Amino acid sequence: MTKRIVVLISGSGSNLQAIIDNCQNGSIDGAVVGVISNRPDVYGLERATSSEIANQVIDHKVYGSREDYDCDLARAINAYQPDIIVLAGFMRILTPAFVQQFQGKMVNIHPSLLPKYQGLNTHQRAIDAGDDVHGVSVHFVTEELDGGPVILQAKVPVFDTDTSDDLAARVHQQEHRIYPLVVGWMCQNRLVMVQDSDSSTAKLDDVILPAQGYAAD
Ligand code: GRF
């Protein structure tokens, strides 16, 4: 059965596009059945419309509490009956109740080599720290912000002359390669999150992945 994918966005949606493209060309055995944005008028919504994918805005600004927002968001997601929930530049901190509901089915992409640089401004922070390697991580979403088990990372070089925008562009190219790959693994049932009392890990083809995810060199 073709897996049903819901993508949450807050902006341009270039990762959404990469996933749509890979579904359309058969590289991902799945279909994006819904796109939800917490911000109105973002380009990612146009991308969904262009591909004739149902899309909607659930604007966080009209909610009084994070709990109320997440409750409506969960209801909207469930209406699509998804197998997989993909956070693609979705700039919201999620409540524990929301995360628990979708645990093991929800992945995020974060523009750093986790556990380095959780949170915002990752590219500038890598430059400021003098790192010569930076990158991006795809991970399962757990209650800890940017803290769930890493599935796959990609590295990029940092050059002396790089601005934050230069580095972001280089990282973005890698995002568009690794995110569809991971979503494809999920669609093939190759990837699971295993949880015990105090930690969680990612397993690919029944093999527990190391902290830096699959095939890091
Ligand atoms: C990406 O850099 C992603 O790593 C971060 O937000 C950005 C989203 O970009 N979480 P886009 O909307 O997919 O173009």
Side-chain angles (χ1 to χ4, degrees), residues 148-217:
V150 172
I151 300 163
L152 187 60
Q153 293 184 324
K155 295 177 182 170
V156 300
V158 184
F159 301 118
D160 290 346
T161 51
D162 274 344
T163 63
S164 172
D165 285 349
D166 296 333
L167 198 45
R170 200 171 302 131
V171 168
H172 248 109
Q173 288 184 351
Q174 296 305 315
E175 295 187 9
H176 302 156
R177 296 179 58 218
I178 69 169
Y179 217 2
L181 197 56
V182 170
V183 173
W185 291 343
M186 292 185 82
C187 288
Q188 295 171 312
N189 295 319
R190 294 175 59 189
L191 196 56
V192 291
M193 187 171 93
V194 186
Q195 241 191 322
D196 57 36
S197 51
D198 58 351
S199 70
S200 43
T201 44
K203 251 188 180 180
L204 178 67
D205 296 334
D206 270 332
V207 178
I208 289 187
L209 296 178
Q212 69 276 28
Y214 176 72
D217 55 18

Side-chain angles (χ1 to χ4, degrees), residues 61-82:
K61 293 209 181 99
V62 303
Y63 285 80
S65 77
R66 207 171 273 284
E67 284 72 20
D68 286 350
Y69 182 82
D70 280 6
C71 199
D72 271 11
L73 180 62
R75 197 174 302 131
I77 293 170
N78 283 325
Y80 293 109
Q81 300 185 293

